[in-house]
Amino acid sequence: MNREIKFRAWDNHEGKWLFGYELPNLGGFSLIGEVVLFGELAKFNLDYYKHIIFMQYSGMKDRYGKEIYEGDIILTPTELKCEIQFKDGGYKYKVTEHTYRPLSPSVAKSSEVIGNKFQNKEQLRYMQ
């Protein structure tokens, strides 16, 4: 599958999304994930950035056209609230603690992004 390569970043220490202008020395990136910063990371002490979590775009959009990233929570057509993860070489949605299903284009197009695991943890409370 050909897909657009995009990233977004969450600052786990500050509890906020990062924008490119906040890290200009890393090449910049935006919430929608445009850019490349990996080449510049070698110039810095990576321990300083260990609280930053990078997530990749799955290449799929929900039924409203919203991009689906790792860490997003989707509401499936069967009313399940599931976290998107990259696992075993592909994007999957986590149904229970040990059950994952592939995120196919048809599932993505019939689901809705309702939040993310950083700002909306309460959405995942039911999972055991």
Side-chain angles (χ1 to χ4, degrees):
M1 164 163 62
N2 288 334
R3 64 181 173 85
E4 198 172 1
I5 305 297
K6 291 183 172 185
F7 295 90
R8 67 181 185 187
W10 174 257
D11 184 328
N12 214 25
H13 181 69
E14 297 289 327
K16 66 178 186 174
W17 292 107
L18 296 176
F19 297 90
Y21 60 80
E22 294 173 315
L23 293 173
N25 293 331
L26 291 180
F29 60 94
S30 71
L31 181 58
I32 59 171
E34 306 160 342
V35 206
V36 205
L37 49 94
F38 299 113
E40 303 225 5
L41 279 175
K43 298 177 187 175
F44 299 94
N45 179 349
L46 293 180
D47 284 341
Y48 178 78
Y49 298 101
K50 68 183 173 191
H51 59 278
I52 298 173
I53 301 164
F54 296 99
M55 291 153 280
Q56 192 167 3
Y57 172 47
S58 68
M60 293 178 250
K61 295 180 181 179
D62 74 0
R63 65 179 169 200
Y64 297 109
K66 186 170 183 175
E67 295 174 341
I68 301 174
Y69 282 82
E70 295 174 77
D72 279 344
I73 300 168
I74 61 168
L75 180 64
T76 68
T78 57
E79 299 296 313
L80 291 173
K81 295 176 183 177
C82 305
E83 178 188 343
I84 301 300
Q85 294 185 1
F86 188 81
K87 186 168 179 63
D88 301 324
Y91 289 95
K92 297 186 178 188
Y93 58 102
K94 186 176 183 178
V95 179
T96 67
E97 190 62 36
H98 303 287
T99 307
Y100 296 84
R101 295 186 182 145
L103 180 64
S104 66
S106 62
V107 169
K109 286 180 185 178
S110 59
S111 296
E112 176 184 357
V113 174
I114 58 171
N116 62 72
K117 70 179 185 178
F118 305 104
Q119 296 172 300
N120 311 100
K121 288 182 184 179
E122 72 281 357
Q123 296 283 355
L124 297 173
R125 245 189 319 207
Y126 77 96
M127 290 202 298
Q128 300 296 325

